[in-house]
Amino acid sequence: MVFAVTHNTVLISDGGLATELEARGHDLSDDLWSARLLVDSPDEIVAVHEAFYRAGADIATTASYQASFDGFAERGFARREAERLLVRSVELARTARDNVDAGGWVAASVGPYGAALANGEEYQGRYGLSVAQLADWHRPRLEVLVSAQPDVLALETVPDVDEAEALAGLVGEFGTPAWLSYTIAGGHTRAGQPLEQAFAVAADVPEIVAVGVNCSAPADVLGAIEVARRVSGKPVIVYPNSGEEWEPSRRTWIGTSGFDANAATQWAAAGANIIGGCCRVSPADIAAIRRSGPTVSGTPEPCR
């Protein structure tokens, strides 16, 4: 079944894959982050995807967020092996879906350029690269992920309008459905651009099937939903983190969780069509979102 989301349906996405892997005892301090387990412990990635599907998620997001050819090369992997690992990320999520036999979709995670730098720059943006340079960097990875035939691309944690423009142009070239999700602070992208400018990037790109925010504070979600709907005319996706903040120098999360699964009902009422969580959001949180019942119209048909 082709991935599709409408203004009349609410789907549930998964939560924080990497932080759930950490909760299972894995050290992800490596610059590849969760992508390291594509090599070391692929069965554990499957297990976490299964946990989120069983919790009620309709969508699993792959362990490719921080995977890049540069990062794999620094670990000694040849180009062909790196391609195989990117494809594996999609295959593992698909295996988990089939194991659980609950239907749903697989979203291939496409993290921003800053994520591959492994120094927290995805929360800043403004890398000093042009739109064309960013497109050149992203294109090879997207080509491989598209070849693995995920149901949708998750262009996520995008901090900067320039990077969004590069990614939007690429999915237009590939003709592949994708969602575009920014990381924001208040009413601006992390790079400081107004949300109206950010969400306008998606308005005329038919391949972008939803637009919204992720890995942002839960308190910023409601305002973003209104702007995303008004400016883009697209269905809206929201999957905030727990409300804690990432401290790059210490490689740890600080602060207090402000994630409340009951807020999902409010987000749905405001117009969100895909709702889930990002870092520090567990299968238990996703199950709580499912129980809170933020569904406007039915559930997805099984995907085989």
Side-chain angles (χ1 to χ4, degrees), residues 21-92:
L21 287 166
E22 288 178 324
R24 293 170 68 92
H26 295 283
D27 179 5
L28 301 185
S29 59
D30 188 284
D31 284 351
L32 286 175
W33 204 32
S34 57
R36 182 178 65 80
L37 298 191
L38 293 170
V39 181
D40 297 343
S41 301
D43 289 348
E44 281 289 273
I45 293 175
V46 173
V48 173
H49 285 319
E50 288 178 356
F52 280 116
Y53 275 128
R54 289 195 177 98
D58 300 308
I59 305 166
T61 309
T62 64
S64 51
Y65 172 80
Q66 202 151 318
S68 70
F69 289 113
D70 297 339
F72 282 130
E74 289 176 4
R75 288 289 304 276
F77 292 99
R79 181 83 170 201
R80 184 64 59 88
E81 180 66 8
E83 291 175 355
R84 190 178 69 82
L85 291 170
L86 283 168
V87 170
R88 177 181 289 176
S89 72
V90 176
E91 293 173 343
L92 295 177

Side-chain angles (χ1 to χ4, degrees), residues 203-270:
D204 297 322
V205 184
E207 290 80 9
I208 295 181
V209 298
V211 64
V213 298
N214 79 286
C215 214
S216 303
D220 288 338
V221 168
L222 267 182
I225 293 171
E226 186 278 324
V227 179
R229 284 175 59 87
R230 171 169 50 84
V231 172
S232 75
K234 308 268 187 182
V236 175
I237 180 168
V238 296
Y239 51 117
N241 57 35
S242 65
E244 297 156 273
E245 293 187 10
W246 177 249
E247 175 52 60
S249 63
R250 295 163 53 193
R251 299 184 70 89
T252 189
W253 291 89
I254 59 174
T256 303
S257 174
F259 190 86
D260 179 3
N262 291 320
T265 302
Q266 188 178 17
W267 298 338

